[in-house]
Amino acid sequence: LRSNGNSWILPGSSLPFVSTRIAARLRGALLLLGGLMLAIGNVKGEPETKRSSAMERFEVDDSQNEFYTLFRYTPVEGLAYEEGVGRRDPSNIIKVGEFYYVWYTRISGSKPTQKWRDAPETSRAYRWDLAEIWYAKSQDGFVWEEKGLAVGRGVRGAFDDRSVFTCNILIAEGRYYLCYQAQCFPFPESDQPNVIGMARADSPDGPWEKLSEPILRPSPPHPERKAGEKWHDGPLGAWDSWKVHDPGITVYKGKYWLYYKGQQSGRWPFDSKLGVAIADKPEGPYIKHPLNPLTNSGHEVWAWPYREGIALMCDWAGPEKNTIQYASDGLNFEVVASVEDIPPAGGSYIEDKFWDTGDGKGFTWGLAYVRDDWDWLVRYDCDLHREKAKTALVPYRY
Ligand code: AAL
């Protein structure tokens, strides 16, 4: 542009384009606008250099996690709602020949009274009281046929004469082992400690022969606990001095790893944590690991071989509820994913649970229970299998 003193003139033209005074004002305005935009840009740019606490600890979106799954529920035939019969706490599922097998807690006849103290001999205090362990078979996992009793209550005076329930299956050395929770008479209050019993058979259809002694008991309570005191009262005992529940045995590193839930006497509201007891033989003796408890959370026990270690799911209890955790040594667990809507007391079909391959794969389906006036079983499907998962997108981060 040329200037004639008063105006700027476009090249190749003799006509004034804009007065120099207006041009100077425009330039000033543009500079001011530029400055303002820079200032706003800086304010807007701030989050790039400073992050909220939540974003500071953000590592991977759930949907990008190898353990990401949604649980999808489907009704099943044969174990669905039935007036007068309660079914709950299904075992892991196994496949023998062309059939899947599942075992579960079954009650029938009278409804639980919910009268938890001093329940009389014939009155059912709660949903797993005066119960038996039954089993069912299926060819496709959707249509089940209830086959009948597997393990019943013990004779009067036995450790399992009041109730047998919440069981799990193990296949080892060519035989079948059912471990289960048991309660005995007298029955002064529902929350008295349970023990874990075991029965074995040559066929999944039985007959089942019980071991005469429990394979796991609660740790001794605090020595100053008073006789007759409620279990949640009194001085704090060991982490599993009130309850040992939800047994599940995995074959791992050539041994039998019994993962279980423990609850502490003297604590209310109760907490629950998971631990392990290990044996050289399926029947035991099961020795509680000195690192117990292995989690600070979790209620019903989910534990399965995964890669070279063990994965577990902490369901609805504790500060790390609704998480999947992994330990490459089966003992020192880290949170690796968070999940929602975990199937209540679910049992899974884990093909390699007893194979001790050192390269566990996971599972894609199982059965869980629906709490109702009479509990019933439902199927869930999920993507917790490394090779079959539909939603696992990126490699596991350990
Ligand atoms: C379940 C399990 C055990 C408890 C009771 C029946 O959630 O933890 O089985 O004893 O509740």
Side-chain angles (χ1 to χ4, degrees):
L1 295 183
R2 296 179 286 123
S3 161
N4 64 7
N6 293 327
S7 303
W8 290 101
I9 295 163
L10 288 172
S13 158
S14 56
L15 295 175
F17 169 59
V18 62
S19 88
T20 47
R21 231 180 54 218
I22 290 175
R25 286 200 179 151
L26 271 174
R27 199 178 58 173
L30 279 173
L31 281 174
L32 190 67
L33 191 66
L36 270 173
M37 283 173 72
L38 267 179
I40 291 168
N42 278 343
V43 172
K44 276 197 164 166
E46 231 177 49
E48 283 166 24
T49 50
K50 251 181 137 184
R51 301 200 303 167
S52 66
S53 313
M55 292 313 289
E56 280 300 322
R57 62 175 185 266
F58 178 78
E59 279 182 46
V60 62
D61 192 294
D62 268 355
S63 66
Q64 301 294 303
N65 189 300
E66 179 173 333
F67 288 103
Y68 177 72
T69 192
L70 292 176
F71 294 99
R72 306 174 289 275
Y73 294 89
T74 316
V76 294
E77 273 180 45
L79 301 172
Y81 180 83
E82 190 179 336
E83 177 91 45
V85 179
R87 300 181 181 89
R88 55 176 287 147
D89 295 294
S91 69
N92 281 143
I93 294 153
I94 58 168
K95 191 170 189 196
V96 182
E98 53 183 319
F99 287 102
Y100 294 106
Y101 284 75
V102 69
W103 290 261
Y104 46 88
T105 306
R106 188 182 188 276
I107 58 168
S108 64
S110 63
K111 270 193 185 172
T113 59
Q114 304 295 344
K115 192 171 174 285
W116 281 29
R117 284 185 71 84
D118 303 317
E121 305 234 335
T122 50
S123 161
R124 174 170 287 124
Y126 48 96
R127 292 150 186 269
W128 50 93
D129 185 24
L130 298 173
E132 295 174 326
I133 296 166
W134 283 46
Y135 79 113
K137 287 162 83 162
S138 169
Q139 279 182 304
D140 62 3
F142 291 95
V143 180
W144 292 87
E145 188 189 345
E146 184 165 78
K147 300 300 290 183
L149 177 75
V151 173
R153 293 160 51 193
V155 294
R156 197 57 194 260
F159 68 87
D160 58 356
D161 61 357
R162 172 87 195 187
S163 193
V164 295
F165 53 106
T166 311
C167 62
N168 223 324
I169 187 75
L170 162 71
I171 308 176
E173 299 172 353
R175 302 189 81 187
Y176 301 87
Y177 297 83
L178 265 178
C179 48
Y180 59 90
Q181 284 181 222
Q183 271 188 318
C184 64
F185 289 108
F187 196 68
E189 58 177 290
S190 76
D191 272 337
Q192 72 182 357
N194 300 177
V195 295
I196 307 294
M198 182 179 259
R200 62 187 164 202
D202 291 326
S203 152
D205 293 292
W208 294 91
E209 170 212 357
K210 285 184 185 176
L211 305 192
S212 57
E213 289 296 317
I215 58 166
L216 201 74
R217 296 176 186 273
S219 299
H222 192 284
E224 281 158 32
R225 195 183 118 77
K226 295 188 195 81
E229 204 161 31
K230 283 188 192 172
W231 282 91
H232 54 257
D233 291 338
L236 280 179
W239 76 281
D240 62 346
S241 53
W242 180 4
K243 298 186 178 182
V244 289
H245 279 177
D246 299 271
I249 303 173
T250 299
V251 187
Y252 183 53
K253 295 182 181 168
K255 297 192 188 253
Y256 300 93
W257 291 51
L258 191 174
Y259 286 91
Y260 66 100
K261 174 231 288 179
Q263 279 177 229
Q264 188 172 25
S265 57
R267 182 182 284 280
W268 191 261
F270 72 82
D271 68 346
S272 55
K273 302 181 172 71
L274 311 185
V276 73
I278 302 173
D280 292 331
K281 289 190 290 188
E283 294 91 345
Y286 283 90
I287 310 294
K288 293 179 181 177
H289 198 281
L291 273 182
N292 283 346
L294 304 180
T295 68
N296 56 37
S297 303
H299 194 82
E300 284 118 6
V301 172
W302 299 74
W304 65 95
Y306 197 75
R307 297 195 184 268
E308 79 270 31
I310 298 287
L312 56 77
M313 195 146 60
C314 283
D315 52 12
W316 53 267
E320 291 175 1
K321 62 176 84 63
N322 298 325
T323 61
I324 295 181
Q325 311 205 356
Y326 177 71
S328 58
D329 60 359
L331 297 168
N332 291 286
F333 286 90
E334 300 285 348
V335 173
V336 291
S338 65
V339 274
E340 58 184 290
D341 197 19
I342 296 175
S348 332
Y349 174 57
I350 304 169
E351 211 177 349
D352 57 8
K353 192 172 185 202
F354 316 118
W355 296 356
D356 200 12
T357 62
D359 187 24
K361 302 275 195 269
F363 57 94
T364 59
W365 69 277
L367 296 174
Y369 87 97
V370 177
R371 194 182 163 94
D372 213 325
D373 60 342
W374 294 97
D375 299 332
W376 47 285
L377 301 187
V378 67
R379 173 175 166 132
Y380 65 85
D381 284 79
C382 64
D383 297 319
L384 290 172
H385 191 291
R386 275 164 53 207
E387 286 164 6
K388 297 183 190 155
K390 291 189 218 81
T391 49
L393 300 178
V394 292
Y396 175 60
R397 65 191 156 99
Y398 280 83

